[in-house]
Amino acid sequence: MCDHITEKDYGHKPVLLHECLDALAIRPDGVYVDGTLGRAGHSLEIVRRLTAGGRLIGIDRDQTAIDAARERLASYLDRVTLVHSNFDRIGDILADLHIPGVDGMLFDLGVSSPQLDDAARGFSYMHDAPLDMRMSQQGPTAADLVNTLDREELTRILRDYGEERFARRIASRIVERRADKPIETTLELVDIIKSAMPAAALREKQHPAKRSFQAIRIAVNDELGAVEQMMRTAPDKLKIGGRLCVISFHSLEDRIVKTSIAARENGCTCPREAPICVCGFVKTLKSVHRKPVLPS
């Protein structure tokens, strides 16, 4: 979390809700962005703190989320703008809305609980469904990737995005199985993953397919590319003193966020002994919390 310096019961409790509200330091007449709308849990509490002069921009790439949020935020739609898009387009979205700067932004990264709960979307390794995993219902599916990428690329995705230590074995088994027939469902893929892992790994507490499903989902939705683009553009759309809050769930996202903040906060490349900065660095972010804020 950093500071810029130049009713319905939906059965889902937003993560770090109060911590995010505190960190955003919401002004009643301010303009705020929820870049990962989901089921509007964070958005609802933000907009409740706004007066008629305030505004909330809610963004999600999943049309189902937009529809659900419109219902949940029905009492506040006079101060809400919903945008069906990906948060990596934050700069273009605000330009289209003729908003030069905002007072705060919140990004809750990764897949949302409702997407996992809807078995038909193919995100879950616990239910049988078409192998899809797309957040936006556009572009190649998980089945497309699993059935077309070569062994080396599958290995890279499983290793880099899922930190799966048996990535090469799983990729090889996928290539072997798809030679007989295409891999079409989630449980087909789960069986293939299990068959490639040693018995000791199958006895571990974590589901054997968890890391592989995470990796494939990240690849299908280009999640890390979206985070990188967002972190390049979002800070420049904050007003002076505006707050940026990012919730990350694994080390890959976390690394991108922390590196991006550090580059804007401590990016001077001049030698320590230099009396003045001559590299041209301009500090544009200041960390509010030096250590990550963890859920209670």
Side-chain angles (χ1 to χ4, degrees), residues 89-291:
R89 294 190 61 255
I90 183 63
D92 294 334
I93 291 168
L94 293 177
D96 291 343
L97 295 173
H98 307 290
I99 299 174
V102 302
D103 296 284
M105 299 188 193
L106 171 64
F107 299 92
D108 184 358
L109 306 179
V111 66
S112 70
S113 295
Q115 288 170 330
L116 289 174
D117 294 341
D118 183 357
R121 300 291 295 272
F123 288 101
S124 175
Y125 42 77
M126 302 299 292
H127 307 283
D128 203 20
L131 195 54
D132 194 320
M133 298 195 196
R134 294 173 300 173
M135 293 180 182
S136 64
Q137 302 295 285
Q138 297 177 345
T141 65
D144 293 328
L145 268 62
V146 165
N147 287 299
T148 61
L149 296 181
D150 63 30
R151 181 183 285 103
E152 292 307 312
E153 182 62 6
L154 284 171
T155 300
R156 184 192 69 80
I157 287 171
L158 297 174
R159 181 190 65 233
D160 294 352
Y161 296 168
E163 299 176 293
E164 172 55 71
R165 63 190 188 277
F166 303 109
R168 182 166 293 280
R169 293 172 61 158
I170 294 170
S172 296
R173 190 61 54 86
I174 287 171
V175 171
E176 290 171 13
R177 290 286 188 92
R178 76 188 190 194
D180 297 328
K181 71 179 222 32
I183 302 164
E184 298 177 337
T185 72
T186 52
L187 292 191
E188 278 184 76
L189 182 58
V190 169
D191 287 342
I192 292 168
I193 293 167
K194 287 181 175 179
S195 72
M197 299 175 77
L202 296 177
R203 292 192 294 269
E204 293 176 1
K205 184 177 180 181
Q206 181 170 267
H207 192 285
K210 180 178 180 179
R211 289 183 293 267
S212 294
F213 268 59
Q214 171 187 292
I216 294 167
R217 188 203 80 219
I218 288 173
V220 167
N221 296 288
D222 188 25
E223 293 178 34
L224 300 183
V227 175
E228 289 175 345
Q229 178 61 20
M230 178 272 288
M231 289 302 300
R232 278 195 293 269
T233 56
D236 294 326
K237 295 300 180 179
L238 288 170
K239 296 177 183 177
I240 302 301
R243 295 290 183 92
L244 172 66
C245 299
V246 184
I247 303 173
S248 61
F249 290 88
H250 56 75
S251 60
L252 302 174
E253 298 167 338
D254 194 50
R255 189 177 305 124
I256 294 169
V257 173
K258 288 195 290 192
T259 300
S260 300
I261 292 172
R264 286 175 171 269
E265 185 173 20
N266 304 303
C268 177
T269 57
C270 297
R272 288 184 178 274
E273 61 272 15
I276 60 171
C277 174
V278 295
C279 70
F281 171 71
V282 177
K283 183 174 181 176
T284 53
L285 288 179
K286 175 185 175 183
S287 294
V288 175
H289 299 279
R290 289 296 169 184
K291 294 182 178 180

Side-chain angles (χ1 to χ4, degrees), residues 26-32 46 49-51 53-56 79 102-104 239:
I26 296 170
R27 295 173 44 242
D29 61 347
V31 180
Y32 294 88
I46 292 171
R49 288 159 173 75
L50 301 179
T51 61
R55 189 174 181 187
L56 173 71
R79 64 199 71 168
V102 302
D103 296 284
K239 296 177 183 177

Side-chain angles (χ1 to χ4, degrees), residues 15-23 49:
V15 69
L16 288 164
L17 176 60
H18 298 295
E19 292 86 347
C20 287
L21 294 172
D22 289 343
R49 288 159 173 75

